Amino acid sequence: MKAVIQRVASAKVEVDGELVGSCGHGLLILLGVAVGDTEEDLDRMLQKILKLRIFEDENGKMNRSVQDINGEMLVVSQFTLLANYKHGNRPDYMGAAAPAEANRLYEQFVERASASLCHVGHGQFGADMQVSLVNDGPVTIVMESDVLRPTTKA
């Protein structure tokens, strides 16, 4: 699983000119589900995102999480985050999970995030979406679930 996390003043996603999801001050999450991703990966990633201290406190230090500020979230599925661009100039997306599995994990991510935040908007899986945002900072972090997996000692 790969996520691009952007701290935003606001964000929205439209499909065919119609607003399908939005958020105010908080996080825009572009989420790509990879082959082999599990619910455990999803949970680890979501918990890390919810606790990332990337919002400023009263002293101007990034010391607060989206939960601390009662922030909102917009989650947009984006399989192109799994692009393999090593060979040639046309990326392949063989590392992206099959649509049914990717949608299942995407919907679970949205559902579980909704249990932790006051508002979680989302895009429309598989649609041609137009995403607009007002980046705050800017603060942008790329997170990969395999980095968050527990290491085993030999």
Side-chain angles (χ1 to χ4, degrees):
M1 205 169 281
K2 186 180 280 190
V4 174
I5 302 154
Q6 296 184 298
R7 189 176 76 181
V8 297
S10 63
K12 67 180 181 176
V13 60
E14 297 177 334
V15 174
D16 296 327
E18 296 291 323
L19 181 68
V20 295
S22 65
C23 74
H25 188 234
L27 298 173
L28 168 63
I29 310 294
L30 304 175
L31 185 68
V33 179
V35 170
D37 281 340
T38 66
E39 289 184 35
E40 291 79 19
D41 292 320
L42 179 154
D43 287 333
R44 275 192 294 275
M45 182 172 277
L46 178 59
Q47 289 311 307
K48 181 62 85 171
I49 290 169
L50 291 171
K51 293 177 177 147
L52 274 178
R53 296 181 347 185
I54 57 174
F55 293 89
E56 294 179 355
D57 64 15
E58 61 280 353
N59 297 317
K61 291 189 139 216
M62 286 197 286
N63 204 26
R64 292 195 172 144
S65 71
V66 67
Q67 289 180 310
D68 294 335
I69 66 157
N70 295 314
E72 299 182 359
M73 184 182 287
L74 175 61
V75 185
V76 177
S77 175
Q78 190 166 351
F79 76 93
T80 59
L81 291 175
L82 286 300
N84 177 350
Y85 46 83
K86 186 173 182 178
H87 300 288
N89 294 318
R90 183 188 308 250
D92 76 59
Y93 304 101
M94 301 301 286
E101 179 63 4
N103 188 37
R104 183 182 75 79
L105 289 173
Y106 167 72
E107 287 181 359
Q108 285 185 1
F109 187 96
V110 170
E111 181 181 315
R112 292 175 188 182
S114 296
S116 298
L117 297 173
C118 63
H119 173 80
V120 177
H122 57 87
Q124 183 177 326
F125 187 88
D128 182 15
M129 297 176 275
Q130 291 71 49
V131 180
S132 304
L133 68 136
V134 178
N135 204 320
D136 182 19
V139 174
T140 303
I141 295 171
V142 178
M143 186 180 292
E144 298 183 54
S145 59
D146 58 352
V147 173
L148 300 173
R149 289 183 185 132
T151 57
T152 56
K153 296 185 180 183

